[in-house]
Amino acid sequence: MSIDKKTVEDVAHLARIELEAKELEKLSKQLEHILAFIDKLSVLDTGNIAPTSHILPISNVLRKDEPRKSLPIEKTLMNAPDKQGNFFVVPKVIE
Amino acid sequence: MKYEAVIGLEVHLHLNTKTKAFCGCSTEFGNAPNSQVCPVCLGFPGSLPVYNQTVLDYAIKVALALNCKVQEYTKFDRKNYFYPDLPKNYQVSQYDLPLSIRGFLDIELGGKFKRIGITRVHMEEDAGKLIHQEDISLVDFNRTGIPLLEIVSEPDINSPEEAYEYLATLKSTIQYLDVSDCDMEKGSLRCDANISLRLAGAKTLGVKTELKNMNSFKGVKDALSYEIKRQTEVLDSGGKLTQDTRLWDAKAQETVAMRTKEGAKDYRYFPEPDLPPFIIKEDKVAEIKKTIPELPKEKMQRFIKDYGLSEYDAKALVASKKGALFAEECLKRFSDKNKKPVANWIIGPLAALAGSRACETSELGIFPESLVELIELVEKKQIISNLSGKVVLEEMVNTAKTAQTIITEKSLAQISDSGSLNSVIEEVIRENTKSVTDFKSGKANALMFLVGQVMRKSSGKANPKVVQELMRERLESA
Ligand SMILES: [Zn+2]
């Protein structure tokens, strides 16, 4: 299993991580090892096994539609890197 | 038409539960920013979402009303992307095992039904709201986590008019279920569109454009009409279309291409580990099915059958559930077999009054029996003219008095007795000898002119039908 630099760059972009050339080199190698390890699973024949979507044998966990108290505004904004009035403040991003 | 438009619509719908999808925060609209948030909907580490039972029930109800097959096994997935209105950096949505698939909605256009396929109805959550300023953006997470349904249509829609009708029918159907207010202005219903053109009769699809930012059903229709024109021009001039996302600019009445980064979006969906799957048994589906009322299409067909109404009238009367209940009460009470006058009064003057007060016909404070009394006074007993009837109706809305009281108070009753009418008729004949001669020489219009003169002299109170009869008799006997 080999992974090219372009793929690592794309994944880094998706994760919003900036990588220097040296790091890119190093991570590409590491990722290759990781993927090779995971790839061992492919020796198993899973043709007749339904894909697992949840690891615990539980289902239908639901709650009643009953309001609960929300956080007070001081707590909500307590760890915000930047705030203004009741708002969180972020750098302007327009998609 | 050289080209055929192929349109698919994607509707996002807020469900009107008391609390959000995965936490107990209130969904109320219009409160102080970030006053309805908690560790779950803010995506704080270590918090655990638990799904709202009512949301699941409502979602199943919508899926069934849209004739979808509810899947026995369904689960949530994470849709990963970075945008500041999304505190978790992923949206909880559904990917490969949606709640329901393969439904349809029948729309009516020009007396014909057309079936529009529904690909899927799935459950997800809404994002927050950004307020952009000079060089920062303010974030309000009150809307984050509000339960959403995504309703995806098949590309079975072939014109902007059909798209409009699909949305109107969808809205009306969902409002009958009482699970959403479907208010596009408040953002509780949003719609994106996909559109491509192909040569009429061709099998393969053309290059599609995704349209966003439409704020009303009319906006959707206008944006699609614009896009058909634009794409036709590109194709006709030998150009190539590119697959892009365009925003509708309602002011400029045009679509503008969005700048998009290179490379298709990669959402890296994977099963949401915090939320176990749902197993929806048949008895559960059957139980919810029982709560679905008669829907607009069935009600419309029944109104046509039971009350002899035209398709146009029946459709107008059933558009809203409350309106339809009100209309049916009126139709039942009206003592004539011909129910057309009832439809006319509700769709015409009553709807106009409701429109000017921005409410529904059923919310004007008029009881069905009061409206029927008025309609009978006008149409059957001819106590007052049609025009006075409208004045009385408005007065009924304003004062909550009965039609009879208003007619007496304002002495609006029509004069129908020949005794009082004959003297006016004689007067008009004396003063309009030319018209009398005209009538006798065969000009039928002259009669209407003379009747009009009588109406004028009686300040509109004379019963025009009676006047016409008396006038004709008088002229023909002389
Ligand atoms: Zn919350």
Side-chain angles (χ1 to χ4, degrees):
Chain A
M1 182 87 193
S2 77
I3 183 166
D4 60 12
K5 269 188 210 157
K6 173 83 180 62
T7 309
V8 181
E9 268 172 358
D10 288 348
V11 172
H13 173 72
L14 285 171
R16 300 294 184 272
I17 298 170
E18 262 181 273
L19 294 177
E20 288 174 16
K22 240 171 62 193
E23 292 171 307
L24 193 63
E25 194 80 35
K26 189 173 152 197
L27 283 170
S28 299
K29 283 224 178 68
Q30 289 184 351
L31 273 173
E32 219 163 282
H33 287 307
I34 293 166
L35 289 173
F37 177 66
I38 301 282
D39 215 31
K40 281 186 183 159
L41 289 172
S42 62
V43 303
L44 297 171
D45 178 12
T46 54
N48 293 319
I49 300 169
T52 305
S53 56
H54 204 268
I55 52 161
L56 299 174
I58 45 172
S59 60
N60 297 13
V61 179
L62 292 155
R63 65 178 173 85
K64 284 213 168 105
D65 184 26
E66 282 164 359
R68 283 172 61 178
K69 262 212 167 76
S70 294
L71 284 178
I73 192 73
E74 313 80 59
K75 281 209 154 167
T76 297
L77 296 173
M78 194 167 72
N79 297 318
D82 197 1
K83 56 195 161 192
Q84 193 179 102
N86 267 16
F87 291 101
F88 291 89
V89 173
V90 295
K92 188 171 174 178
V93 190
I94 293 183
E95 198 178 50
Chain B
M1 261 282 266
K2 186 176 171 192
Y3 299 108
E4 178 191 42
V6 179
I7 300 165
L9 297 180
E10 199 180 290
V11 168
H12 285 98
L13 185 77
H14 270 182
L15 295 175
N16 61 7
T17 48
K18 290 193 211 77
T19 68
K20 294 186 177 182
F22 303 110
C23 62
C25 289
S26 164
T27 53
E28 224 174 78
F29 182 76
N31 289 331
N34 293 311
S35 60
Q36 288 149 227
V37 294
C38 73
V40 172
C41 57
L42 286 171
F44 286 174
S47 59
L48 198 63
V50 185
Y51 203 44
N52 185 334
Q53 168 82 64
T54 308
V55 178
L56 182 62
D57 290 352
Y58 282 7
I60 295 172
K61 205 170 171 182
V62 170
L64 291 174
L66 299 177
N67 308 293
C68 287
K69 185 183 177 306
V70 174
Q71 306 266 70
E72 200 191 334
Y73 187 94
T74 185
K75 66 164 169 81
F76 282 115
D77 298 278
R78 290 188 181 181
K79 178 179 178 181
N80 299 279
Y81 64 95
F82 290 102
Y83 201 57
D85 63 3
L86 197 70
K88 300 192 292 273
N89 290 337
Y90 60 81
Q91 179 194 29
V92 177
S93 182
Q94 295 198 282
Y95 186 56
D96 57 335
L97 294 170
L99 173 75
S100 65
I101 53 169
R102 288 202 303 271
F104 62 84
L105 184 65
D106 290 333
I107 62 169
E108 193 260 353
L109 265 176
K112 272 195 211 131
F113 278 105
K114 176 171 176 178
R115 183 156 290 185
I116 308 295
I118 308 266
T119 315
R120 58 195 267 157
V121 174
H122 81 225
M123 308 180 288
E124 54 183 41
E125 59 174 338
D126 206 354
K129 209 170 73 188
L130 294 176
I131 300 163
H132 298 297
Q133 297 197 334
E134 190 75 24
D135 42 33
I136 56 165
S137 298
L138 305 176
V139 196
D140 175 6
F141 288 121
N142 281 352
R143 209 178 58 189
T144 306
I146 285 191
L148 274 187
L149 288 187
E150 183 174 303
I151 303 167
V152 184
S153 89
E154 289 287 310
D156 292 344
I157 299 164
N158 298 112
S159 70
E161 292 72 32
E162 283 182 14
Y164 186 96
E165 198 50 40
Y166 169 83
L167 289 173
T169 310
L170 184 68
K171 175 176 171 166
S172 163
T173 304
I174 289 165
Q175 280 181 331
Y176 266 64
L177 305 176
D178 293 318
V179 298
S180 173
D181 28 322
C182 302
D183 188 339
M184 243 179 142
E185 267 167 46
K186 278 204 268 170
S188 56
L189 189 154
R190 305 194 285 266
C191 176
D192 298 335
N194 283 307
I195 174 167
S196 63
L197 298 188
R198 65 178 166 198
L199 284 170
K203 282 273 183 301
T204 50
L205 290 167
V207 176
K208 73 173 177 187
T209 299
E210 195 184 349
L211 300 178
K212 287 177 178 282
N213 201 37
M214 290 84 77
N215 298 318
S216 63
F217 289 179
K218 195 176 167 293
V220 174
K221 191 171 147 192
D222 292 346
L224 288 167
S225 298
Y226 175 87
E227 206 45 31
I228 291 176
K229 204 173 115 246
R230 186 189 71 84
Q231 294 189 13
T232 301
E233 281 168 12
V234 173
L235 293 173
D236 277 349
S237 63
K240 272 222 163 75
L241 288 160
T242 50
Q243 184 165 343
D244 50 14
T245 302
R246 302 178 71 90
L247 296 181
W248 173 242
D249 182 341
K251 248 196 206 140
Q253 289 284 299
E254 61 180 24
T255 64
V256 186
M258 248 171 92
R259 279 179 300 138
T260 38
K261 298 209 178 69
E262 283 290 309
K265 280 196 172 139
D266 184 352
Y267 293 123
R268 291 151 295 148
Y269 283 97
F270 66 86
E272 162 62 280
D274 285 347
L275 291 157
F278 302 109
I279 294 164
I280 303 165
K281 291 272 164 59
E282 250 169 65
D283 54 340
K284 175 77 181 169
V285 174
E287 185 191 307
I288 292 176
K289 200 164 205 163
K290 271 191 234 143
T291 68
I292 296 178
E294 182 183 40
L295 294 173
K297 184 190 164 198
E298 287 71 48
K299 207 182 269 291
M300 171 186 167
Q301 287 172 328
R302 190 170 58 75
F303 275 22
I304 293 170
K305 197 170 138 270
D306 290 1
Y307 303 111
L309 297 177
S310 68
E311 276 178 3
Y312 177 88
D313 286 348
K315 190 175 175 187
L317 292 179
V318 305
S320 92
K321 188 180 175 186
K322 278 192 219 153
L325 275 173
F326 178 83
E328 182 148 30
E329 282 303 310
C330 296
L331 289 163
K332 274 189 200 153
R333 279 163 211 263
F334 190 62
S335 57
D336 228 18
K337 231 189 130 199
N338 173 19
K339 307 287 185 182
K340 174 80 179 151
V342 178
N344 287 349
W345 274 87
I346 295 176
I347 298 165
L350 197 70
L353 281 171
S356 68
R357 284 163 174 75
C359 69
E360 287 209 45
T361 50
S362 55
E363 294 166 345
L364 284 164
I366 292 192
F367 293 109
E369 48 268 42
S370 322
L371 182 68
V372 170
E373 182 196 359
L374 172 68
I375 300 174
E376 295 199 340
L377 285 169
V378 177
E379 306 280 348
K380 283 187 72 184
K381 301 178 187 149
Q382 297 184 9
I383 302 294
I384 52 170
S385 69
N386 203 288
L387 199 67
S388 307
K390 286 177 191 164
V391 176
V392 172
L393 181 64
E394 182 154 13
E395 194 70 9
M396 284 165 71
V397 171
N398 290 336
T399 62
K401 288 178 185 167
T402 66
Q404 194 59 66
T405 312
I406 295 164
I407 290 166
T408 314
E409 276 178 11
K410 301 202 158 202
S411 50
L412 290 168
Q414 290 191 120
I415 307 165
S416 299
D417 71 301
S418 51
S420 7
L421 290 175
N422 274 336
S423 61
V424 190
I425 288 173
E426 289 306 325
E427 219 179 298
V428 168
I429 285 177
R430 269 202 307 280
E431 288 167 9
N432 297 280
T433 44
K434 186 169 176 306
S435 299
V436 174
T437 323
D438 283 351
F439 177 78
K440 289 186 171 164
S441 64
K443 285 186 187 162
N445 289 348
L447 178 68
M448 290 325 290
F449 174 78
L450 291 167
V451 170
Q453 294 306 306
V454 176
M455 292 304 295
R456 230 176 68 182
K457 273 189 191 291
S458 70
S459 319
K461 280 187 194 165
N463 181 333
K465 272 193 192 157
V466 178
V467 172
Q468 196 176 331
E469 270 165 40
L470 290 172
M471 182 64 88
R472 187 187 288 275
E473 260 171 44
R474 170 68 179 74
L475 290 175
E476 281 169 352
S477 68

